[in-house]
């Protein structure tokens, strides 16, 4: 269980009774964390972030572990051994918790996840009361995860995926009883999952010197609105082969360079349409489109409506759209 979480630019705390707290931070209602205490020692947290990075400090209680499920977006951070960690959509991370001071980066500027945190001593007392109908030893699970020294990363199977999707919906409904039932279902799956070897992330096969360069290239491409820089030229400038750049980029960000940058620019265009009165043609040019018809077609493909329709629909309350975008 998280004892304390310090996020940059924190602005407000809104309690919902004794069992739920919503934390709002950053710009408007675009970024929030929901925290439910469903049993003593067990919490469910939902995160919705729309930002590039989030400096933060986590303090965890002793003998704690967590299960994190990432529904949308990608998150990156530097582990304590100075290696890059990155998780993407539909991945589950099991880990024995420890304190963390650093910065999370969100390469897609959009991120949604569910975390179930367990403090062993408090949760053990709760779960023992459910025996013989429910048997799980949180202390043994913690020891298994602690012995791994690294996170266990797996792809969510359909059964687990459905549990997390239900947890996400129940958080929004503030349905405490439903959350309790689904968390117990999840805990029953964990002992076998914790024994799995986990997946070695594709990016782990690339040296840190290469992943650092690819991250810098990603930031450069996202800043450049023209979209006209040849990849071969960029790769040469960073002393990488073009094939190395492409393969490492896909491994780190789950998409081709072209598709990733295109989606990033269209998202920036969507935000500009909601938050400004700038001409649509100016926004299209900034996104790298000189032809308004091509911009409209690409925008409609990603958001299901034309830029003009999008502005009319969402400009009154952009925070509502951004929060629900996940």
């Amino acid at each position: 269980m998280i004892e304390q979480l310090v996020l940059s630019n924190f602005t407000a705390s809104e309690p919902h009774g004794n069992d739920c707290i919503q934390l709002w931070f950053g710009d408007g209602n675009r970024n929030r964390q929901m925290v439910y205490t469903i049993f003593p020692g067990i919490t469910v947290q939902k995160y919705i972030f729309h930002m590039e990075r989030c400096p933060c400090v986590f303090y965890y209680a002793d003998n704690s572990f967590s299960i994190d499920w990432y529904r949308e977006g990608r998150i990156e951070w530097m582990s304590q051994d100075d290696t890059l960690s990155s998780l993407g959509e539909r991945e589950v991370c099991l880990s024995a918790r420890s304190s963390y001071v650093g910065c999370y980066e969100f390469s897609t500027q959009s991120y949604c996840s569910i975390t179930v945190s367990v403090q062993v001593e408090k949760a053990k007392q709760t779960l023992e009361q459910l025996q013989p109908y429910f048997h799980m030893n949180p202390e043994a699970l913690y020891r298994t995860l602690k012995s791994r020294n690294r996170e266990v990363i797996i792809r969510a199977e359909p059964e687990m995926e459905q549990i997390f999707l239900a947890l996400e919906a129940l958080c929004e409904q503030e349905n405490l009883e439903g959350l309790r039932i689904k968390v117990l279902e999840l805990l029953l799956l964990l002992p076998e999952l914790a024994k799995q070897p986990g997946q070695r992330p594709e990016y782990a096969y690339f040296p840190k010197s290469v992943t650092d360069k690819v991250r810098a290239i990603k930031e450069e491409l996202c800043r450049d609105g023209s979209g006209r820089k040849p990849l071969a030229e960029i790769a040469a400038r960073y002393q990488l082969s073009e094939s190395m750049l492409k393969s490492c980029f896909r491994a780190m960000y789950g998409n081709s360079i072209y598709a990733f940058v295109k989606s990033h620019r269209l998202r920036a265009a969507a935000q500009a349409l909601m938050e400004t009165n700038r001409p649509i043609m100016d926004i299209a040019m900034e996104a790298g489109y000189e032809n308004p018809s091509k911009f409209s077609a690409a925008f409609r493909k990603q958001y299901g409506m034309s830029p003009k329709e999008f502005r009319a629909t969402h400009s009154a309350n952009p925070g509502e759209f951004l929060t629900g975008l996940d």
Side-chain angles (χ1 to χ4, degrees):
M1 178 186 295
I2 298 177
E3 289 189 329
Q4 184 178 0
L5 166 62
V6 181
L7 292 160
S8 66
N9 202 19
F10 173 78
T11 57
S13 174
E14 180 183 345
H16 284 214
N18 294 324
D19 300 306
C20 175
I21 296 176
Q22 290 203 46
L23 307 176
W24 302 80
F25 50 96
D27 181 13
N29 64 347
R30 294 175 58 191
N31 307 294
R32 63 186 171 122
Q33 176 192 13
M34 306 176 70
V35 183
Y36 287 90
T37 300
I38 60 167
F39 294 112
I42 302 178
T43 62
V44 177
Q45 300 132 50
K46 178 176 180 178
Y47 299 90
I48 300 175
F49 291 164
H50 297 283
M51 58 175 68
E52 291 187 19
R53 55 185 54 85
C54 179
C56 56
V57 179
F58 287 95
Y59 299 104
Y60 294 100
D62 292 338
N63 298 340
S64 298
F65 65 86
S66 70
I67 312 101
D68 302 282
W69 173 72
Y70 301 84
R71 181 172 72 76
E72 192 265 342
R74 294 187 74 82
I75 182 172
E76 302 171 32
W77 71 97
M78 297 304 296
S79 297
Q80 293 181 350
D81 59 359
D82 200 34
T83 59
L84 174 70
S85 293
S86 176
L87 292 166
E89 296 177 0
R90 286 358 191 219
E91 290 183 326
V92 175
C93 177
L94 286 71
S95 63
R97 288 295 201 181
S98 59
S99 298
Y100 176 78
V101 178
C103 182
Y104 290 129
E105 298 199 12
F106 309 105
S107 58
T108 61
Q109 299 185 32
S110 179
Y111 169 78
C112 180
S113 72
I114 294 289
T115 295
V116 176
S117 298
V118 179
Q119 184 183 352
V120 170
E121 291 306 316
K122 290 183 179 179
K124 184 178 178 182
Q125 299 173 19
T126 302
L127 297 176
E128 283 177 349
Q129 297 176 11
L130 299 176
Q131 296 188 30
Y133 309 104
F134 178 90
H135 178 69
M136 183 211 167
N137 187 339
E139 190 171 12
L141 181 56
Y142 171 78
R143 288 198 302 268
T144 299
L145 292 172
K146 190 71 173 177
S147 67
R148 303 291 293 269
N149 295 321
R150 292 282 300 187
E151 305 93 345
V152 177
I153 300 172
I154 57 176
R155 194 75 175 171
E157 296 295 330
E159 182 179 6
M160 178 175 285
E161 186 97 337
Q162 290 304 311
I163 292 175
F164 278 113
L165 287 170
L167 286 172
E168 182 182 22
L170 292 165
C171 281
E172 294 296 335
Q173 298 166 11
E174 301 182 17
N175 185 333
L176 199 63
E177 292 302 319
L179 287 171
R180 287 173 177 148
I181 292 171
K182 288 300 174 182
V183 165
L184 290 178
E185 288 183 34
L186 178 64
L187 292 178
L188 285 173
L189 297 176
L190 291 187
E192 289 303 315
L193 291 175
K195 298 176 184 177
Q196 293 187 16
Q199 302 169 348
R200 181 172 173 80
E202 292 181 39
Y203 61 78
Y205 292 100
F206 296 93
K208 183 176 180 296
S209 59
V210 173
T211 59
D212 285 348
K213 290 177 181 179
V214 171
R215 292 176 71 190
I217 290 171
K218 181 263 296 182
E219 294 179 2
E220 177 180 332
L221 290 172
C222 287
R223 288 194 304 267
D224 173 37
S226 69
R228 296 173 180 171
K229 292 183 177 180
L231 289 183
E233 177 184 313
I234 296 173
R237 181 152 42 85
Y238 281 86
Q239 298 181 325
L240 294 173
S241 69
E242 187 174 354
S243 61
M244 173 71 79
L245 169 58
K246 289 180 178 178
S247 58
C248 186
F249 192 100
R250 183 179 287 277
M252 290 176 65
Y253 300 112
N255 216 334
S256 69
I257 296 174
Y258 171 78
F260 180 93
V261 174
K262 178 181 177 182
S263 179
H264 170 84
R265 291 173 181 164
L266 288 174
R267 181 173 180 82
Q271 187 170 338
L273 288 167
M274 289 186 293
E275 298 178 353
T276 74
N277 293 319
R278 294 168 55 201
I280 291 177
M281 188 60 207
D282 289 355
I283 294 174
M285 292 286 288
E286 191 174 76
Y289 292 86
E290 295 181 356
N291 186 317
S293 297
K294 290 184 177 180
F295 172 66
S296 183
F299 193 93
R300 183 184 291 276
K301 185 175 181 180
Q302 181 153 320
Y303 291 108
M305 62 184 76
S306 71
K308 184 176 180 180
E309 293 168 335
F310 184 91
R311 170 173 273 172
T313 302
H314 298 292
S315 59
N317 191 354
E320 180 180 345
F321 168 78
L322 288 168
T323 301
L325 183 61
D326 311 291

